[in-house]
Amino acid sequence: MPPARPNSQSLNLSRLRHSFLTLVNYPEVSRLLEDITTCSLSREETRFSGWQEPPSKGGVELFPFLTVHTRRHQLELSGTLFPNQEEPETGVLYHLIKIRLGDETHYFNLSNSQSTFLLSPFHCRFISIIFGITWFYTLAFETAAMQQDFFALAPYSLEEQVIARYLQSLVWIPCATVQLDTQDNPYIGTRLYTSADLKRCEIPGSSKEEGMIRGWRLFKRLLNFSIEGEPIFTGFAFLPSHKSLTHHQKRWSDLLLYHEADQVPLNEGIEAIKQLLLNADGRSTFLSVYQDRIIGVLQLTKGTQQQLTTVRSWRESLLLATISRRGRFNFWLALKGRQNARIPLSLLEYRQGHIQIPLFQDVFWQELERQLRQSCPDCNYPEVLQQLKLLIRGMRANARGGIFLLGLNAARLQEPYIPIENEVRLAQPTPLQHRWSAIILGLAKSDGAIIFNERLEVTHFRVRLKATGLQLPPLRGDELGSGTRHQATREFSAFCPEVLGLCISMDGPVSLYRTGKLISRLY
């Protein structure tokens, strides 16, 4: 028989508040928040003089589904996230969290040194789930009010539960609309849900979440797994379990099924699916997962939806997981573009032990254009920006990596202490135009950096960047783990603060540096 539900008289609200605030400061909570936002969480005991709380309409309600369940126990609980607030004196962005526990109100601050870091609706959803599950833990431990529900959560870590719930919520209650512009760049539109939608969410611990957790555990093991000494490159396609297998066979004409007797449950481990991993490359072919079993192979050469503007379009999209290289896998959707058959939209990424929700491309491209207009004000926009985008995409497709130094004028290059050497000069500056795009891409494949002048014309290539001797602040947050190419770009941008540094990693991310700081990153 389940334990009796406590009433308001039997609850120690002071102890509940203390337990919740203690759990919020738990290292695992801080790690997850810092991973996905690059921000540190701090408690705000008192706000500064003259401070006014942001208007409620600008906030995002936290854990509303748990608010409903909590009211059954006559507890007063509410939370609001105010993302992307600006400090009036410094202009630095911060993200305010307001938690109301009974008759007390507590404030938390998410902030970091990157003044341009924005929280998307997807970041906000993840944060909401972290705080919601933390409150769920508090009730389970302190009141036994949800003890029966808590049994389903007991075997799993906070990370596993938050990730599984986040991915499930994107299918059933999407955060926002996602559309493609005329150049096939994804951008976030309007919010797609209401508070009433979130309140209909089931409490944590569903069978769907357990299946996602098993997949998450399996993928983390696959990161250090090899077959005959070769690293794994494979992928998985999650067929929604609320639809019949017959439906999926009709929906996906390129679905090849194994015999029913040879379909393998995910929880049987790596050895049981070792040979099946070779059936999929994670690019166009994927192992099909249905009701926690690998049932066959699916070929996917084009995206499933052109725009994600309704709940129905989100639910009809296919969630994919790709094991791309050692230390990295991601969950993504494939959209159909106007110019490209398949546009990857990454929802969650695990890289080198850290979890990321990649910023969508519109944030990066907007910041790149803003910075370029400062460094190269006389360029022919938007043509030159479009050609730069195509060049960056070509570099990412080649998986070679490279460095672009943008806005370095002739006067700077003639200075005796400019930290470059071994450069190859072009006889005439070459503009970023379609006729030269293939040649410039070929120059970029050489070891070293490419220099663009203040008119975004290529003047040098194969440039070796020397050490400047500058003492820069230690790396933190999103910059941890950056290689020598990133360090060289960062240091040069500090030496020449008017220059914009673009570093394209071999793994795919593109980092934007100015004055020695990471301004934005495209994953």
Side-chain angles (χ1 to χ4, degrees):
M1 179 179 295
R5 302 285 187 183
N7 55 41
S8 58
Q9 285 74 27
S10 64
L11 291 174
N12 187 331
L13 294 181
S14 176
R15 180 172 172 176
L16 274 175
R17 280 193 290 263
H18 175 76
S19 297
F20 176 72
L21 296 174
T22 301
L23 281 175
V24 166
N25 290 313
Y26 191 67
E28 182 72 355
V29 174
S30 299
R31 180 187 69 83
L32 289 172
L33 289 171
E34 188 165 351
D35 271 1
I36 64 144
T37 67
T38 73
C39 297
S40 299
L41 182 71
S42 60
R43 174 90 173 273
E44 294 284 345
E45 295 293 345
T46 57
R47 299 298 296 177
F48 48 83
S49 176
W51 174 80
Q52 291 184 349
E53 182 180 302
S56 298
K57 64 179 181 180
V60 178
E61 185 179 3
L62 295 179
F63 44 83
F65 78 99
L66 277 180
T67 303
V68 173
H69 286 278
T70 304
R71 285 173 185 159
R72 285 194 253 159
H73 314 298
Q74 301 180 30
L75 303 174
E76 290 297 329
L77 167 71
S78 64
T80 307
L81 169 64
F82 300 95
N84 310 323
Q85 303 297 309
E86 185 174 327
E87 291 282 3
E89 296 181 359
T90 63
V92 174
L93 290 180
Y94 70 97
H95 317 288
L96 181 69
I97 298 173
K98 174 187 176 182
I99 303 292
R100 185 170 181 82
L101 303 172
D103 56 354
E104 292 187 6
T105 301
H106 302 269
Y107 293 95
F108 295 86
N109 191 6
L110 278 170
S111 60
N112 72 354
S113 59
Q114 297 179 33
S115 61
T116 59
F117 189 91
L118 300 172
L119 290 186
S120 72
F122 298 83
H123 292 95
C124 296
R125 174 66 58 82
F126 199 95
I127 293 170
S128 177
I129 290 172
I130 290 177
F131 277 84
I133 291 183
T134 302
W135 178 250
F136 192 81
Y137 275 170
T138 303
L139 291 177
F141 287 134
E142 295 296 336
T143 71
M146 294 184 177
Q147 188 170 348
Q148 293 298 107
D149 303 326
F150 184 73
F151 288 155
L153 293 173
Y156 307 124
S157 69
L158 178 64
E159 173 192 287
E160 292 170 334
Q161 294 169 49
V162 171
I163 288 168
R165 189 159 188 82
Y166 165 76
L167 292 172
Q168 286 294 324
S169 76
L170 295 184
V171 175
W172 289 103
I173 307 173
C175 297
T177 62
V178 177
Q179 303 179 49
L180 299 173
D181 64 15
T182 55
Q183 285 79 42
D184 284 348
N185 297 315
Y187 65 94
I188 298 171
T190 59
R191 194 177 72 171
L192 194 56
Y193 67 92
T194 65
S195 297
D197 293 328
L198 291 182
K199 289 172 183 176
R200 288 194 290 268
C201 288
E202 58 189 7
I203 60 175
S206 71
S207 59
K208 302 182 188 69
E209 291 176 27
E210 288 184 296
M212 192 62 69
I213 288 173
R214 284 195 288 270
W216 179 263
R217 287 182 172 180
L218 175 65
F219 300 157
K220 291 179 75 170
R221 292 185 61 193
L222 286 175
L223 292 177
N224 299 308
F225 190 71
S226 63
I227 297 179
E228 298 178 356
E230 295 294 327
I232 292 294
F233 288 82
T234 192
F236 298 81
F238 292 87
L239 304 177
S241 58
H242 66 280
K243 298 284 189 179
S244 68
L245 188 54
T246 303
H247 168 85
H248 292 307
Q249 287 179 281
K250 294 179 180 179
R251 175 72 173 83
W252 311 105
S253 58
D254 295 325
L255 175 60
L256 179 67
L257 295 179
Y258 304 142
H259 189 279
E260 186 175 353
D262 296 318
Q263 297 173 1
V264 183
L266 285 178
N267 58 10
E268 288 196 9
I270 295 178
E271 289 301 322
I273 65 172
K274 182 176 180 179
Q275 291 302 313
L276 299 182
L277 296 173
L278 301 175
N279 299 160
D281 61 14
R283 295 175 176 87
S284 59
T285 55
F286 300 85
L287 296 174
S288 301
V289 179
Y290 180 68
Q291 295 182 345
D292 301 336
R293 300 174 67 87
I294 298 177
I295 63 169
V297 183
L298 174 68
Q299 182 178 5
L300 191 70
T301 56
K302 62 182 181 180
T304 58
Q305 300 291 324
Q306 193 164 28
Q307 310 281 2
L308 297 175
T309 55
T310 64
V311 174
R312 180 178 180 181
S313 64
W314 271 95
R315 292 181 182 177
E316 291 182 353
S317 299
L318 196 61
L319 181 63
L320 305 168
T322 295
I323 313 294
S324 57
R325 59 190 75 245
R326 289 188 185 273
R328 178 181 175 186
F329 66 85
N330 68 345
F331 290 92
W332 58 287
L333 302 175
L335 300 184
K336 286 188 295 188
R338 295 178 177 85
Q339 306 173 26
N340 304 278
R342 189 174 62 178
I343 308 296
L345 183 71
S346 185
L347 302 174
L348 187 77
E349 188 173 271
Y350 183 87
R351 295 186 296 113
Q352 303 296 334
H354 295 280
I355 300 163
Q356 301 285 339
I357 297 177
L359 291 176
F360 289 93
Q361 294 186 21
D362 65 314
V363 176
F364 176 84
W365 296 124
Q366 288 172 9
E367 184 61 30
L368 174 61
E369 183 175 0
R370 189 176 74 86
Q371 295 288 340
L372 278 176
R373 290 186 183 276
Q374 295 179 17
S375 297
C376 312
D378 299 326
C379 289
N380 180 21
Y381 295 102
E383 178 186 1
V384 71
L385 184 64
Q386 178 61 19
Q387 291 302 318
L388 182 58
K389 288 181 180 181
L390 294 175
L391 180 60
I392 292 172
R393 286 174 181 161
M395 291 287 290
R396 299 180 83 189
N398 291 331
R400 294 180 62 90
I403 297 173
F404 298 160
L405 302 177
L406 310 169
L408 191 57
N409 58 41
R412 263 293 204 180
L413 285 168
Q414 293 174 2
E415 293 180 357
Y417 300 109
I418 192 77
I420 64 173
E421 62 183 8
N422 298 340
E423 69 274 15
V424 177
R425 293 173 294 175
L426 297 179
Q428 297 292 334
T430 303
L432 261 177
Q433 295 175 354
H434 177 71
R435 61 179 294 201
W436 299 110
S437 60
I439 291 178
I440 295 175
L441 180 59
L443 298 179
K445 294 179 182 178
S446 300
D447 291 336
I450 284 189
I451 291 178
F452 295 79
N453 63 18
E454 69 276 15
R455 295 182 299 277
L456 275 186
E457 299 168 330
V458 178
T459 60
H460 300 70
F461 72 100
R462 212 176 69 187
V463 180
R464 181 178 179 270
L465 303 184
K466 300 190 297 184
T468 64
L470 295 176
Q471 296 295 322
L472 299 179
L475 299 179
R476 63 190 300 272
D478 209 27
E479 294 184 281
L480 291 176
S482 298
T484 54
R485 183 181 284 121
H486 287 266
Q487 298 302 322
T489 310
R490 176 180 183 239
E491 192 170 336
F492 191 91
S493 72
F495 186 88
C496 298
E498 76 279 8
V499 172
L500 195 59
L502 267 175
C503 183
I504 299 97
S505 171
M506 293 179 65
D507 294 337
V510 182
S511 302
L512 186 63
Y513 290 94
R514 185 151 198 177
T515 64
K517 298 178 181 179
L518 177 66
I519 300 299
S520 186
R521 178 168 284 174
L522 172 66
Y523 292 100

